[in-house]
Amino acid sequence: MFSAWNWVAHDLYLLLNICFLEVSGGLVQSCGHIIPESPVLALGSNFTALCILNESCLDFGNIYANQIIWKIKNRVVPKEQYHEINRTVSSVTFNDTSSLATPLTCNILADGQIEQNIYGITVTIGLPPEKPKNLSCIVHQVSKLTYPMTCTWNPGRHTFLDTHFRLKYRWPQENFPDCIPKDVNNSCTITDVQFFVNLEVWVEAANALGKAESDPLVLDPIEIVKPLSPHNLSVNSGILPTVLKLSWENRISAAVMKLKFNIRYRITGDTNWMQVPPEDTASPRTSFSVQGLRPYTEYVFSIRCMKEDGVGYWSDWSEEKTGVTTEDKPTKGPPIWRIIDASRSPASWTVHLMWKALEPFEANGVILQYEVTVRAKSSLSSPPEKYSVNTTNLTLKLPNGTYEVTVIARNRVGASPPSVLLIPASNSKAPVKNVRTLPKDGKLWVGWTAPNSYVLKYVIEWCLVSNSSDCITEWQNEPGNVQGTYLKGDIKPFKCYLITVYPLYADGQGSGQSVKAYLQQDRPSKGPTVQTKKVGKAEAVLTWNHLTVDEQNGFIRSYTIFYKTIDGNETAVTVDPSKTEYTLSSLTSDTLYTVRMMAYTDEGGRSGPDFTFTTQKFGKGEIEAIVVPVCLAFLLIVLLGVLFCFNKRDLIKKHIWPIVPDPSKSNIAQWSPQVPAKHNFSSKDQMYPEGSFTDVSVVEIEADDKKSFSEQDLKPFDLLKKEKSTSEGHSSGIGGSSCMSSPRQSVSDSDEGEATQNTSSTVQYSTVVLNGYRDQTPVQVFSRSESTQPLLDSEERSEDHAGGGDSATQRQQYFKRNGGQDETNTDRPCFERTKQITPANEGDLVGFAQLQISGQSSQPLGIELEKNTQEAALSDVLQTSTEGQTVRPETVEGSPLSVDEMPKSYLPQTVRQGGYMPQ
């Protein structure tokens, strides 16, 4: 621990001794120094520096030269450049001083641990001055007697050092003080020089690295004088309209120097100067007349001067002065053109004459008026028409023909030459060909191919095409020997111009050839708006309007239609720009589509708004293909139905529109006696007169051999006869009996649902004939039918029924109600439905026919009648004289026939023509 502290204390002691070895007189002495002290070195040269240590430092601090370290700024110089001369001196060598930087320091490493700076120097690196070049001098006239001389030179390269320049001059036997430049290093002014004596002039340059002198310049100051410009310049009008006279004053004495002059001039507003020929002003003077100017034109003039022999310098240009020439007659007539409107009347023209105002150099003054003369070429004897106008246009109404129009411009001095325009009756001459345009250098160039014939001149006519304004015509004339020119009007970009070229001949003119052009194109201002004209199942007809000229901003090269479904890819279709309609095909039915349209020019395109439409579910003709056959089939069915109804009109009429007899005219009283009279059918014709039947209905009555009726069972039928006798006074025959007036269900050959209709409107009666016992005469019984049909004529007339003897076998009547009513009902108002036959009476009755009137038995009866049994039944009736009824015999004594063997009885009911027969 003690040893470590010992070493620290020892190092501090050495450091203090190195830095402050001796203190004498209050000054601190260093341990060494560097030579040379603050050197100035040439860039790129060799340099060696020495660091010398003091002897006192060697003895006290054990410091030697081999411990020296050289540094440039903070960078250590490589040890290869060191050289130890002795124990107190160390050197460092630099082969190229361009790598040197300031400061250069000498440092020492004490005891190999602490680095300490011993000494440092500042190194300045630069270049020696170059020889000044291009020495020249000029004598500026400041006033009439003061002529200072200023010399300039090229100082050469930059030396990076302080370099001093001196202008030295002398006469052959006398030297003058040097001229030292102020704030510059390349010029100096000598305040006063003497003319007509040669003077030697040179420049000296010097800095820390050396000196240099320029080549001497020997001259006479009079030869390098730049005089002052003439002053008090004035311009006056001459006698002629093309001449102006100038006058001025010189500011240098003619005894000192003789001068020559330059005169320049330009038209006011123009930037191009014109000069008077130098030979015209090569002698001393104070005035000059400028000729060849334009009449009535304002000019600007300026003048300068120099030594007459051309040695020296031109003076500056004098101040500018203006002057105006006098008026003269116009040099040419105004260019004239016409626009002919022949649409209102085919026999006359409306001619719009127009001419351009003359340019100032052509008008040569103020135009007061224009004189227009119109002469008809077809009638030379008629006097011409003359007009005087102050404007540049005139509208005339002329008959069709050829005319010569002359226009003259007049000012204060006189009139211009006439401008002649021939208006032919028709443009029959050859036109130009291949009219084309080309934008170039911000202008619009128009070219054409000349016709084979000689052309006097061309007229190029153009106007701005716009939907918002009329086409205002502008025009210009071009010589007949050119085939292209630039339009001279104000041509705007993104605007469409209609350009027409007319060739004019000596005896007529050719028809105009037109072309549209743009100076510069752009994208359209908007896109087309597309709509649907017709939408089908798989196609859609799209329509749109052309963009207006103001919206196009260029030539429309193509249209592109983009369409897609909601979730599908977009499809593009390119359409010709002349089209306004397009049909999209191969679309999906009943689908929503989105469509938009883009218009393209040479500079790009712009899209219009989106439009949606939905395709139809069915295509054209599909609905008609379904509806038309259905309608035709329906019409066919209706037609067949009508034909069927017409063919079966009687049957339909009988079922739907029956003829209802008037009950008030019925003779029911005579029709229903106590004992009905028997029908006397002596012949078949009497029984069935011709035309008395419209239909025949047979009622089948089956006799139940297991039942017999006693006399007691027939009493209700006797009561019924009495009721019928008491009801003769009623028109309907049913008014006096509560039983007969009550509604009943119909017994017919229809289904049970039809049997429930009301019988309040009509009543129908039927005749029931029962088979007698063996050969006994059957009893004819009348019973009220369950049907609601009207009374039959055969039943209303009593004379159609032959009365039977009262002493005949006891009449058996049986009236059976509809099977839908309950047989056990005790509230029957009139009589019992069916009575059982006691066994005691079975032997007396061989058979008793039970009347069964029901809906189930009527249909088979009708079918049997229509097919096989109608004629047989009628024949049996006529032969047995049973009044049209067929008798079925009962089986005897317990030997009942089977259903198939049992004979059936059919009861035909007669219906008069016009009556109704229930089925």
Side-chain angles (χ1 to χ4, degrees), residues 667-684:
N667 52 359
I668 192 172
Q670 290 81 14
W671 174 80
S672 180
Q674 181 67 24
V675 178
K678 292 184 179 179
H679 291 279
N680 186 16
F681 298 116
S682 58
S683 67
K684 189 174 184 180

Side-chain angles (χ1 to χ4, degrees), residues 625-636:
I626 297 174
V627 173
V628 170
V630 171
C631 293
L632 292 177
F634 177 77
L635 292 176
L636 180 61

Side-chain angles (χ1 to χ4, degrees), residues 28 96 167 206 270 290 293 401 458 508 560 606 635 695 729 751 791 802 849 858 860 871 877 880 913:
V28 178
D96 188 357
L167 178 63
D270 197 355
V290 182
L293 304 178
Y458 295 98
T560 302
R606 194 177 296 274
L635 292 176
D695 196 0
D751 57 7
L791 299 175
S858 60
E871 294 182 1
V877 169
T880 55
Q913 186 170 0

Side-chain angles (χ1 to χ4, degrees), residues 389-580:
V389 295
N390 297 323
T391 60
T392 58
N393 56 79
L394 178 64
T395 300
L396 301 174
K397 189 171 184 179
L398 303 173
N400 291 356
T402 301
Y403 295 90
E404 182 183 79
V405 179
T406 303
V407 179
I408 296 175
R410 185 177 296 276
N411 61 10
R412 294 184 184 93
V413 178
S416 68
S419 295
V420 180
L421 175 67
L422 182 65
I423 304 177
S426 62
N427 298 331
S428 58
K429 299 296 181 178
V432 298
K433 300 177 182 179
N434 192 24
V435 179
R436 56 201 180 274
T437 61
L438 178 66
K440 187 177 181 181
D441 300 331
K443 298 179 181 180
L444 189 59
W445 181 84
V446 181
W448 59 87
T449 301
N452 297 327
S453 303
Y454 172 75
V455 178
L456 186 64
K457 62 180 179 180
Y458 295 98
V459 175
I460 295 91
E461 178 183 287
W462 73 91
C463 70
L464 175 63
V465 180
S466 175
N467 297 98
S468 58
S469 61
D470 295 333
C471 189
I472 301 176
T473 301
E474 299 183 53
W475 54 279
Q476 67 187 52
N477 288 335
E478 295 296 332
N481 59 348
V482 302
Q483 296 186 23
T485 184
Y486 287 98
L487 297 184
K488 300 175 181 178
D490 182 18
I491 307 300
K492 299 178 181 179
F494 316 137
K495 299 296 182 181
C496 181
Y497 289 89
L498 179 63
I499 303 171
T500 307
V501 180
Y502 295 89
L504 301 185
Y505 301 89
D507 55 349
Q509 74 178 41
S511 59
Q513 299 297 311
S514 301
V515 65
K516 288 184 177 180
Y518 284 87
L519 176 63
Q520 183 180 350
Q521 298 189 51
D522 195 9
R523 295 193 309 158
S525 302
K526 58 179 290 188
T529 300
V530 65
Q531 294 179 338
T532 54
K533 181 179 179 181
K534 183 180 179 182
V535 178
K537 178 182 179 181
E539 69 282 337
V541 180
L542 304 180
T543 183
W544 61 91
N545 294 324
H546 287 302
L547 296 178
T548 63
V549 177
D550 297 330
E551 296 170 344
Q552 292 179 6
N553 296 335
F555 293 111
I556 301 298
R557 300 302 184 187
S558 66
Y559 291 117
T560 302
I561 299 174
F562 299 91
Y563 64 97
K564 65 176 181 178
T565 59
I566 295 178
D567 54 352
N569 295 327
E570 193 171 54
T571 304
V573 178
T574 301
V575 183
D576 188 86
S578 62
K579 305 294 184 181
T580 58

Side-chain angles (χ1 to χ4, degrees), residues 338-354:
R338 85 293 177 274
I339 297 177
I340 299 176
D341 183 7
S343 60
R344 297 183 179 179
S345 175
S348 62
W349 290 342
T350 299
V351 180
H352 302 278
L353 297 176
M354 50 188 180

Side-chain angles (χ1 to χ4, degrees), residues 682-736:
S682 58
S683 67
K684 189 174 184 180
D685 294 337
Q686 289 179 349
M687 183 177 179
Y688 302 109
E690 183 179 359
S692 62
F693 293 103
T694 59
D695 196 0
V696 177
S697 181
V698 179
V699 179
E700 180 181 353
I701 301 175
E702 296 181 358
D704 191 354
D705 57 350
K706 295 181 180 180
K707 296 182 181 181
S708 60
F709 295 91
S710 61
E711 293 181 359
Q712 188 176 358
D713 294 330
L714 300 178
K715 289 181 180 181
F717 294 97
D718 295 335
L719 295 176
L720 178 59
K721 294 180 183 179
K722 295 179 180 179
E723 290 179 7
K724 292 173 65 176
S725 299
T726 58
S727 61
E728 291 179 356
H730 298 284
S731 61
S732 63
I734 64 175

